[in-house]
């Protein structure tokens, strides 16, 4: 495995474990168009039932219930990050430059 794949695997594993620890909590998600600066959809709040990384490590599936999920793209180059600012201050941000979208998750 080359160094960049190993780094990506480590980022993916760390992110998946951190988000899995947040399951059962309420999360608000916003998806914004970075090209236009507009929200793609109104913010949505739901309980994070489950979080699963796809086998390729490219997306994190955040389940709203047993069948519905939101797929968040994951990048190892800093465009995907988890920020923890004390209790109740956890945020995940992922910027998909190719799609022109920014995903913002904030745990409540």
């Amino acid at each position: 495995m080359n160094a960049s794949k190993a780094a990506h695997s480590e980022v993916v594993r760390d992110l998946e474990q951190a988000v899995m620890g947040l399951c059962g909590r309420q999360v608000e998600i916003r998806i914004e168009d970075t090209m236009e600066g507009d929200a793609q959809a109104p913010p949505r709040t739901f309980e994070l039932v489950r979080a699963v990384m796809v086998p390729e490590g490219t997306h994190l599936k955040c389940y709203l219930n047993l069948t519905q999920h939101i797929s968040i793209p994951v990048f190892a180059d800093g465009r995907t990050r988890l920020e923890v600012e004390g209790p109740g201050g956890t945020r995940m941000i992922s910027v998909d430059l190719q799609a022109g979208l920014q995903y913002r998750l904030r745990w409540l």
Side-chain angles (χ1 to χ4, degrees), residues 15 18-19 22 25 78-95 102-107:
L15 179 66
V19 173
L22 296 167
R25 291 186 48 194
R79 291 183 286 151
T80 301
R81 62 191 182 280
L82 191 67
E83 301 171 348
V84 180
E85 297 174 1
T90 303
R91 295 183 304 180
M92 179 180 151
I93 299 167
S94 189
V95 180
Q102 182 176 64
Y103 299 80
R104 294 180 170 270
L105 287 78
R106 182 175 59 97
W107 278 266

Side-chain angles (χ1 to χ4, degrees), residues 55-96:
E56 301 81 17
T58 58
H59 289 79
L60 179 69
K61 290 183 176 182
C62 295
Y63 283 84
L64 292 68
N65 56 44
L66 294 177
T67 58
Q68 294 179 310
H69 69 271
I70 297 171
S71 289
I72 310 295
V74 174
F75 306 98
D77 61 2
R79 291 183 286 151
T80 301
R81 62 191 182 280
L82 191 67
E83 301 171 348
V84 180
E85 297 174 1
T90 303
R91 295 183 304 180
M92 179 180 151
I93 299 167
S94 189
V95 180
D96 186 340

Side-chain angles (χ1 to χ4, degrees), residues 28-46:
E28 177 188 75
I29 184 166
R30 294 177 183 266
I31 302 172
E32 299 173 354
D33 182 341
T34 58
M35 304 286 189
E36 302 293 326
D38 297 327
Q40 289 296 101
R44 176 152 185 195
T45 301
F46 61 93

